Amino acid sequence: MAIEICVKAATGAPDELGDCPFCQRVTLTLEEKKVPYKTHLINLDSKPKWFLEVNPDGKVPLIKFDDKWVPDSDVIVGLIEEKFPEPSLVTPPELASVGSKIFPKFVGFLKSKDENDGTEQALLDELNALEEHLKNNGPYVNGEKISAVDLSLAPKLNHLEVALGHFKKWTIPGSLTHVHNYIKSLFSRESFEKTKPAKEEYMIAGWAPKVNNA
């Protein structure tokens, strides 16, 4: 029995997979565990009636377990781990927050209109911290084995590269070799190829209003 999951459809292309990193985190987890699932693409600009009936908040991802719809990627990933413990993707608690500030710092820098406001340095500080961690503990956050924290970071790092490359012509410094190798390793996994947004332009379209209205 395939598990049902609601994810974001692409902005302007409701029949294609969209750019939500929290949705991809969940589908990555299902792929890595080889759990069969069926995807419902939700057009967030015109949410279907049935979706709002089961989920009045209207947020994605949303997954169905035991005839009950469950929101929130943190909760969903925990439930998947509980119900499908093999292969284990548990990240040791002391490593669970590695890289967790990269996404908010990226968003701050992306929306920034003042190049001297410290947002670029704040992001670089977080990327440098990830570089140090991977240098000492890599190739993944928890060593040789991929775990939940990597599956949370992978979609966010993809957004960072695409959005900053497009809107700011900015790239992660070449000196952060462990971060670059980490990204390459994550993006080349079959699970990532299967779950990434259908096109990079959908990611750019997703960020454009947030950048332009900042």
Side-chain angles (χ1 to χ4, degrees):
M1 244 325 251
I3 285 177
E4 292 182 68
I5 176 169
C6 298
V7 300
K8 181 186 176 186
T11 305
D15 297 328
E16 297 221 39
L17 181 60
D19 64 321
C20 169
F22 305 99
C23 294
Q24 192 188 357
R25 174 192 181 192
V26 172
T27 50
L28 271 172
T29 304
L30 292 167
E31 287 286 350
E32 288 287 342
K33 286 182 174 286
K34 304 278 189 275
V35 176
Y37 62 97
K38 180 188 173 205
T39 305
H40 298 285
L41 295 175
I42 304 296
N43 178 354
L44 296 184
D45 295 323
S46 175
K47 295 168 187 170
K49 188 167 171 243
W50 72 264
F51 172 71
L52 288 170
E53 280 171 3
V54 298
N55 181 36
D57 281 350
K59 290 182 179 170
V60 289
L62 187 74
I63 201 166
K64 195 176 190 181
F65 279 130
D66 308 324
D67 289 329
K68 186 173 173 238
W69 287 97
V70 180
D72 190 309
S73 64
D74 284 336
V75 175
I76 292 170
V77 166
L79 282 170
I80 295 170
E81 191 62 51
E82 211 173 276
K83 290 175 184 292
F84 306 98
E86 294 302 324
S88 171
L89 292 171
V90 174
T91 302
E94 67 274 13
L95 298 179
S97 65
V98 170
S100 64
K101 291 181 184 163
I102 289 174
F103 194 68
K105 300 299 183 195
F106 143 65
V107 175
F109 177 40
L110 181 65
K111 290 180 171 182
S112 164
K113 299 278 193 282
D114 174 6
E115 57 186 55
N116 299 313
D117 64 2
T119 52
E120 180 181 8
Q121 191 55 50
L123 174 59
L124 284 170
D125 288 347
E126 294 304 325
L127 289 169
N128 280 318
L130 179 62
E131 172 74 13
E132 275 307 303
H133 178 86
L134 293 170
K135 190 158 78 176
N136 298 319
N137 306 280
Y140 295 110
V141 168
N142 189 30
E144 294 296 327
K145 202 164 160 286
I146 199 163
S147 72
V149 67
D150 304 301
L151 302 183
S152 175
L153 276 172
K156 295 170 181 174
L157 289 166
N158 192 22
H159 275 262
L160 182 157
E161 286 205 324
V162 170
L164 290 178
H166 177 81
F167 292 105
K168 289 202 181 278
K169 306 290 177 268
W170 190 92
T171 53
I172 295 172
S175 57
L176 302 180
T177 51
H178 294 82
V179 171
H180 278 283
N181 289 338
Y182 176 64
I183 289 172
K184 198 171 161 189
S185 174
L186 290 171
F187 291 5
S188 65
R189 291 181 81 85
E190 186 187 0
S191 60
F192 190 87
E193 281 293 324
K194 281 184 172 178
T195 59
K196 69 182 181 183
K199 294 179 184 167
E200 283 190 359
E201 67 204 56
Y202 298 149
M203 297 164 76
I204 292 161
W207 284 108
K210 298 178 182 75
V211 175
N212 297 333
N213 299 330

